[in-house]
């Protein structure tokens, strides 16, 4: 990715989860609730570049100094933030929005990461998250056939999630899920699989459990209370 200002990013060049989240953010931004955005775990910079080009005030972050220096060289305002460590309270709750896209599955302790994100956000801040769905129907089929499956066998993915686990993690860390999305079977892919003539509502419910990604818009409603997997799981099952 070239430095800021040299090229523009077309939304069509980004991934499906970027396109879904961008639509949600543009809608919320009309309400003027997104003064500052943190892109947590920035990769190549294409996504935050699109946000900047669409008038969002964006800070990017990564866990290593080397990666942060690379982002700064591209013109971004970048911070070194290791989400698996307790966050420095001196940073304050300064971000109205955090985007956390395709990062959760790379972390050994995602509960600590979500706890840290909560601490970096203003009251009633917004979180936009996506992660691969462990229950993706194509990967389940491949796995049952003894074939390699993208999510199950990606060496860089150390944790696996489905819609239910994403919900309870967010709830345990003080977030309320407002809306969600997942790929419908047969949509958004070249050579798409035709869907039988069943109601769209049926496929939407099915895709939430078996689509390729879990994509969520959540709002912070309380400070995070539980800081490890066991505490969060116990709290979840007491609730439900």
């Amino acid at each position: 990715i070239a430095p800021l200002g040299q090229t523009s990013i077309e939304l069509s060049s980004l991934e499906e989860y970027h396109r879904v989240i961008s639509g949600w953010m543009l809608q919320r931004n009309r309400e003027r609730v997104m003064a500052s955005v943190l892109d947590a775990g920035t990769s190549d910079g294409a996504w935050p570049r699109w946000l900047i080009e669409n008038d969002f005030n964006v800070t990017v972050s990564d866990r290593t100094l080397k990666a942060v220096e690379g982002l700064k060289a591209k013109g971004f305002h970048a911070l070194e933030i290791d989400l698996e460590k307790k966050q420095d309270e001196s940073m304050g709750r300064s971000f109205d929005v955090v985007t956390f896209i395709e990062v959760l599955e790379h972390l050994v302790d995602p509960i600590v990461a979500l706890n840290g994100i909560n601490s970096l956000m203003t009251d009633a801040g917004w979180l936009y998250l996506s992660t691969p769905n462990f229950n993706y129907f194509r990967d389940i089929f491949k796995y049952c056939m003894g074939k390699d499956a993208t999510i199950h066998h990606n060496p860089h993915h150390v944790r696996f999630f489905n819609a239910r686990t994403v919900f309870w993690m967010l709830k345990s860390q003080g977030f309320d899920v407002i809306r969600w999305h997942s790929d419908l079977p047969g949509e958004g892919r070249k050579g798409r699989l035709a869907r039988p003539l069943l109601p769209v509502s049926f496929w939407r419910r099915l895709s939430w459990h078996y689509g390729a990604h879990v994509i969520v818009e959540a709002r912070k409603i309380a400070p995070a209370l539980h800081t490890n997997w066991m505490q969060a799981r116990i709290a979840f099952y007491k609730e439900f």
Side-chain angles (χ1 to χ4, degrees), residues 4 20 25 29 39 53 65 73 77 93 98 100 108 132-133 139 145 156 165 171 206 230 232:
L4 287 173
V20 171
M25 291 183 67
N29 207 37
D39 182 48
E53 291 174 356
L65 181 60
H77 176 227
R93 297 177 177 178
V98 175
F100 198 41
V108 173
N133 185 7
D139 279 356
M145 296 295 291
H156 301 293
T165 54
K171 185 175 180 65
L206 183 67
M230 186 56 67

Side-chain angles (χ1 to χ4, degrees), residues 43-70:
S43 56
D44 63 4
W47 166 245
R49 183 195 299 276
W50 182 89
L51 291 173
I52 290 169
E53 291 174 356
N54 284 272
D55 299 323
F56 290 95
N57 179 17
V58 180
T59 298
V60 301
S61 73
D62 210 302
R63 66 192 306 172
T64 68
L65 181 60
K66 180 178 179 181
V68 169
E69 292 301 324

Side-chain angles (χ1 to χ4, degrees), residues 28-29 31-38 55-59 94-97 122 126:
R28 293 291 176 199
N29 207 37
E31 303 167 11
R32 300 185 182 277
V33 297
M34 297 187 172
S36 59
V37 179
L38 172 67
D55 299 323
F56 290 95
N57 179 17
V58 180
T59 298
S94 55
F95 296 103
D96 300 303
V97 179
T122 56
W126 294 89

Side-chain angles (χ1 to χ4, degrees), residues 167-216:
F167 261 65
W168 73 252
M169 283 195 303
L170 289 172
K171 185 175 180 65
S172 77
Q173 299 309 306
F175 293 99
D176 182 31
V177 174
I178 303 301
R179 52 184 167 180
W180 57 87
H181 176 90
S182 192
D183 305 88
L184 289 171
E187 285 193 351
R189 290 178 178 81
K190 192 174 181 179
R192 64 188 183 184
L193 175 68
R195 298 198 304 274
L197 295 177
L198 291 171
V200 171
S201 59
F202 168 83
W203 289 108
R204 291 197 180 279
R205 285 194 293 270
L206 183 67
S207 71
W208 176 229
H209 294 287
Y210 301 108
H213 295 84
V214 179
I215 310 168
V216 171

Side-chain angles (χ1 to χ4, degrees), residues 80-82 85-95 115-121 223-224 227:
E80 183 181 357
I81 301 177
D82 187 344
K85 295 180 180 178
K86 183 175 176 59
Q87 299 308 307
D88 183 356
E89 294 183 1
S90 66
M91 292 182 66
R93 297 177 177 178
S94 55
F95 296 103
N115 187 283
I117 285 174
N118 183 302
S119 71
L120 294 172
M121 297 173 71
T227 57

Side-chain angles (χ1 to χ4, degrees), residues 11 21 30 32 34 63 65 68 71 74 91 100-101 104-105 138-139 153 155 158 160 165 191 199 214 217 222:
L11 191 57
I21 290 172
R30 296 191 199 107
R32 300 185 182 277
M34 297 187 172
R63 66 192 306 172
L65 181 60
V68 169
L71 290 166
K74 294 178 181 178
M91 292 182 66
F100 198 41
I101 300 177
L104 202 64
E105 63 276 9
R138 294 192 183 197
D139 279 356
H153 297 290
V158 297
F160 308 108
T165 54
V214 179
E217 178 188 56

